[in-house]
Amino acid sequence: MSGADFSYAPLLPTGPDQTEYRLVTDEGVDVVNGPGGRRFLTVEPAALTALTAEAMHDIAHYLRPAHLAQLRSIIDDPAASPNDRFVALDLLRNANIAAGGVLPMCQDTGTAIVMGKRGRHVLTDGGDAEAISRGVWQAYTRLNLRYSQLAPLTMWEERNTGSNLPAQVELYAEDPDGHPDAYKFLFMAKGGGSANKSYLYQETKALLNPTRMMQFLEEKLRLIGTSACPPYHLAVVVGGTSAEHALKTAKYASAKYLDTLPTTGSMTAHGFRDLELEAEVLELTRNFGIGAQFGGRYFCHDVRVVRLPRHGASCPVAIAVSCSADRQAVAKITPSGVWLERLETDPARFLPEVTEAQLDATEVVRVDLNRPMDEIRAELSKYPVKTRLSLNGPLVVARDIAHAKIAERLDAGESMPQYLRDHAVYYAGPAKTPEGYASGSFGPTTAGRMDAYVEKFQAAGGSMVMLAKGNRSAQVTRSCEQHGGFYLGSIGGPAARLAQDCIKHVEVLEYAELGMEAVWKIEVEDFPAFIVVDDKGNDFFAEVTKPVLTIGRR
């Protein structure tokens, strides 16, 4: 039996590039004549390094205008909840501060990811990945960014590389947009919170009907929670020639890199966007009740759904998000120079004229953290979950490594450190502190990473009030009910605003050798938070993570 005639289409055929670019430099690039009358673009390593350093700077401090417009639209939407609007306003304020170029928008300045497509008439010295990595190194060592990469010295021992290297660099031999004399790039900085919300599910043909698909997505999307700092740019990929290709496609789609895919399929088996399903999934997330972190409609800004070809025995489904630190930019090197996507350097134009009081109809409870812990807990006990708070006074800061060390002390029969008995604990790790500032960008860490310690610590009299981002496990809720504890949710995303406006003093209490993982004491003023888990066994997220879908896709 003969097969079908040969036909070819790229797996991900994107359309024309509509990006607005700015010139970074025209140095380090030249055009030379080659055999057969062909002309070649030569690119010096220094040009790759300069472009990368500039790109990593920009995506740490600036956002795309379209993303900022979406935040503003939440504030202007009468259907948005007060908490939705408050989070959106805080994120816009944060963007305005980060655009000053001193404090990065998020304290987790991410893993540097660079994908490039080099045309066949582009000549380099062959060390492109090294030149790009040097640009990453320049940005992270010269700017107020955080080093997050750990080198494995043995299977069990790790050490911070002190430079945020290695970067993830992937380069392809492919004429970008059909141009043989062009070199095009996607730069991303992916923080741990959003990276940890990439999921792969190995499904079957049974998923490929409208009702089952929507039921599946409701169940899985609710599990993403808020620890990756919504509102999200959500991507769902159905199918894939391999599991890893499905996941990579989801990452690209969440960065809007695949927005110009076709919107219908064909027998050449290329990928396409399903615009109808995108709208239905977005409306599904609007009804979750999770909202922009603390209740409402804006769990997602938008949704991308990409359908890929698949092996008949496999049906991978990949889900990925880009968070409130929506950090990516495209770039290109052409005969005319080195060009980088123009991001928004004046986000203040998206801030509303109205005051915060006009945006917010909810009561804000002022909490004095200088009071004894029993009095702080008694005050919190008066209010229901989702109550918005303003925290003022001292906080202890500790996260993974410090928690592990304190747990070892408890296991050895030592007592709970007094600082965890007397103060609320903030799960966070700061970026570098700029000269003249009390703190570097200092946003919250994903709370769930500390869940395993809570019952042990609370039984020993510590961690009675915890502050971080995202949902907690049922184990934490039970412990808070048993021991009279509370978990407060901090807005995920506005790390620069917290550093500039809310954190007034920072000092190391213990484990200074751990760097940003040390135990810190900070003084805060008007630090925003919400009651998420109370001392009565109530958990805001427990209700909004339950599937309630009763209808299928129309």
Side-chain angles (χ1 to χ4, degrees):
M1 181 178 179
S2 62
D5 292 338
F6 174 78
S7 62
Y8 172 78
L11 271 176
L12 297 170
T14 53
D17 183 1
Q18 303 295 329
T19 306
E20 181 182 354
Y21 291 95
R22 66 178 182 87
L23 181 66
V24 175
T25 181
D26 57 6
E27 296 181 358
V29 296
D30 197 6
V31 177
V32 298
N33 295 319
R38 289 176 291 181
R39 293 173 64 78
F40 290 83
L41 173 67
T42 63
V43 180
E44 297 296 327
L48 294 171
T49 297
L51 172 60
T52 302
E54 188 81 356
M56 299 316 296
H57 166 275
D58 280 14
I59 63 178
H61 292 281
Y62 309 134
L63 292 158
R64 286 172 167 159
H67 175 86
L68 294 163
Q70 287 176 306
L71 285 172
R72 174 58 188 268
S73 70
I74 296 174
I75 296 172
D76 295 336
D77 183 2
S81 72
N83 285 350
D84 278 339
R85 293 195 291 273
F86 177 73
V87 170
L89 178 62
D90 219 36
L91 292 172
L92 280 175
R93 287 172 169 165
N94 186 71
N96 196 49
I97 293 167
V102 178
L103 293 166
M105 70 182 73
C106 179
Q107 81 287 344
D108 183 349
T109 47
T111 297
I113 300 172
V114 184
M115 186 272 285
K117 296 179 178 180
R118 191 174 79 182
R120 66 186 184 275
H121 289 175
V122 177
L123 303 178
T124 70
D125 71 351
D128 299 20
E130 181 177 353
I132 289 167
S133 295
R134 181 175 291 277
V136 172
W137 172 81
Q138 286 185 1
Y140 277 83
T141 55
R142 296 176 183 177
L143 302 172
N144 298 309
L145 309 184
R146 196 173 85 185
Y147 310 138
S148 299
Q149 303 307 308
L150 303 178
L153 304 181
T154 69
M155 181 60 74
W156 321 119
E157 183 185 1
E158 300 174 309
R159 188 172 301 162
N160 196 299
T161 62
S163 64
N164 215 56
L165 293 178
Q168 179 180 320
V169 182
E170 300 179 1
L171 303 176
Y172 298 90
E174 176 182 330
D175 289 352
D177 302 325
H179 296 291
D181 59 349
Y183 203 161
K184 300 195 74 171
F185 301 89
L186 170 65
F187 292 94
M188 303 178 72
K190 199 70 173 172
S194 61
N196 293 345
K197 296 303 178 181
S198 297
Y199 296 104
L200 174 70
Y201 302 97
Q202 295 286 15
E203 297 298 314
T204 69
K205 166 70 174 173
L207 184 66
L208 299 180
N209 68 79
T211 299
R212 177 66 191 116
M213 178 63 75
M214 292 298 280
Q215 292 170 340
F216 170 86
L217 290 176
E218 177 173 22
E219 175 189 349
K220 303 307 182 186
L221 297 180
R222 285 178 181 273
L223 295 177
I224 294 174
T226 62
S227 60
C229 306
Y232 298 126
H233 301 281
L234 170 68
V236 178
V237 174
V238 179
T241 50
S242 64
E244 61 270 23
H245 187 256
L247 281 166
K248 185 175 293 187
T249 302
K251 179 177 288 186
Y252 293 162
S254 72
K256 282 71 71 180
Y257 185 73
L258 302 177
D259 277 8
T260 57
L261 283 177
T263 56
T264 58
S266 77
M267 284 304 296
T268 58
H270 58 74
F272 65 90
R273 285 179 63 186
D274 186 329
L275 301 184
E276 181 184 356
L277 188 53
E278 288 179 1
E280 293 178 8
V281 174
L282 180 60
E283 186 58 29
L284 176 71
T285 67
R286 293 277 193 260
N287 295 320
F288 284 172
I290 299 173
Q293 307 189 28
F294 301 103
R297 287 171 46 81
Y298 283 93
F299 186 62
C300 294
H301 283 303
D302 48 42
V303 177
R304 302 293 186 270
V305 177
V306 177
R307 182 67 159 90
L308 295 178
R310 67 184 185 93
H311 185 285
S314 302
C315 186
V317 178
I319 295 173
V321 297
S322 184
C323 67
S324 293
D326 189 40
R327 293 173 295 193
Q328 59 265 322
V330 294
K332 63 181 179 179
I333 302 177
T334 69
S336 62
V338 179
W339 301 84
L340 180 61
E341 181 177 357
R342 185 182 299 279
L343 302 179
E344 181 57 65
T345 58
D346 182 25
R349 67 188 181 92
F350 293 93
L351 283 167
E353 297 292 338
V354 295
T355 65
E356 179 180 325
Q358 291 172 294
L359 287 170
D360 185 17
T362 53
E363 178 186 8
V364 181
V365 176
R366 184 177 177 86
V367 178
D368 183 1
L369 298 174
N370 291 289
R371 297 163 67 186
M373 179 54 64
D374 286 347
E375 292 184 16
I376 294 173
R377 290 194 291 152
E379 177 69 14
L380 294 174
S381 191
K382 298 176 184 177
Y383 302 99
V385 295
K386 285 204 298 184
T387 297
R388 186 177 142 206
L389 310 173
S390 169
L391 305 180
N392 299 270
L395 287 169
V396 167
V397 179
R399 57 183 220 164
D400 306 66
I401 297 177
H403 274 68
K405 287 184 172 291
I406 292 168
E408 290 174 0
R409 288 158 58 173
L410 295 178
D411 290 340
E414 299 180 36
S415 60
M416 173 64 63
Q418 194 63 38
Y419 53 74
L420 279 183
R421 292 175 175 271
D422 294 342
H423 301 293
V425 58
Y426 178 38
Y427 303 157
K432 296 178 204 167
T433 300
E435 186 175 351
Y437 284 72
S439 168
S441 292
F442 211 153
T445 288
T446 301
R449 301 214 308 260
M450 267 56 72
D451 282 6
Y453 301 103
V454 172
E455 202 285 327
K456 179 193 290 284
F457 283 24
Q458 289 189 339
S463 295
M464 302 308 296
V465 177
M466 302 162 286
L467 174 67
K469 66 176 180 177
N471 52 298
R472 307 300 296 263
S473 65
Q475 173 188 3
V476 171
T477 303
R478 289 193 299 269
S479 183
C480 286
E481 183 177 16
Q482 178 182 355
H483 298 290
F486 294 84
Y487 166 56
L488 312 180
S490 176
I491 299 173
R497 195 191 78 77
L498 293 176
Q500 176 175 288
D501 298 341
C502 301
I503 299 175
K504 303 304 180 181
H505 178 73
V506 176
E507 62 180 281
V508 175
L509 283 182
E510 194 171 15
Y511 303 125
E513 69 277 9
L514 298 180
M516 67 103 172
E517 294 278 1
V519 176
W520 306 78
K521 185 177 181 181
I522 65 175
E523 290 285 335
V524 302
E525 183 178 295
D526 196 21
F527 193 110
F530 296 79
I531 299 175
V532 176
V533 176
D534 65 15
D535 57 348
K536 306 170 189 66
N538 298 308
D539 176 5
F540 162 66
F541 288 111
E543 289 304 313
V544 297
T545 54
K546 294 178 181 177
V548 296
L549 186 67
T550 57
I551 59 172
R553 182 180 176 189
R554 295 186 299 275

